[in-house]
């Protein structure tokens, strides 16, 4: 969190974007990266959830699978 806060300050960031895998328990108890960043960084934080791994994305075609 300290490195993120330092980077946001150094580049005069106006928002932080965090991409994570879904983790409902951590999100429910506000222990996830995004909740921690919102308390620590001091700028708005956008949380994006990964739905496909990079390997799945590299397989071709926008998440479509050929069966």
């Amino acid at each position: 969190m300290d490195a993120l806060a330092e980077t946001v300050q150094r580049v005069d960031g106006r928002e932080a974007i965090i991409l994570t895998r879904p983790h409902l328990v951590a999100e429910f108890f506000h222990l996830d990266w995004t909740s921690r960043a919102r308390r620590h960084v001091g700028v708005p934080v956008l949380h994006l959830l990964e739905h496909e791994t990079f390997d799945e994305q590299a397989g071709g075609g926008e998440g479509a699978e050929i069966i």
Side-chain angles (χ1 to χ4, degrees):
M1 286 300 126
D2 290 336
L4 176 60
E6 289 171 13
T7 301
V8 168
Q9 187 176 27
R10 181 174 40 83
V11 300
D12 193 29
R14 303 291 185 212
E15 181 177 32
I17 300 173
I18 298 176
L19 174 64
T20 66
R21 292 183 178 142
H23 195 285
L24 296 176
V25 174
E27 290 178 38
F28 180 78
F29 289 107
H30 301 284
L31 301 172
D32 60 315
W33 282 98
T34 306
S35 296
R36 291 173 55 201
R38 284 187 179 121
R39 291 188 297 266
H40 193 77
V41 175
V43 296
V45 177
L46 175 63
H47 185 196
L48 301 176
L49 295 173
E50 177 187 54
H51 292 285
E52 292 182 335
T53 65
F54 289 117
D55 291 334
E56 291 170 341
Q57 293 175 23
E62 297 301 312
E65 293 183 26
I66 299 175
I67 301 175

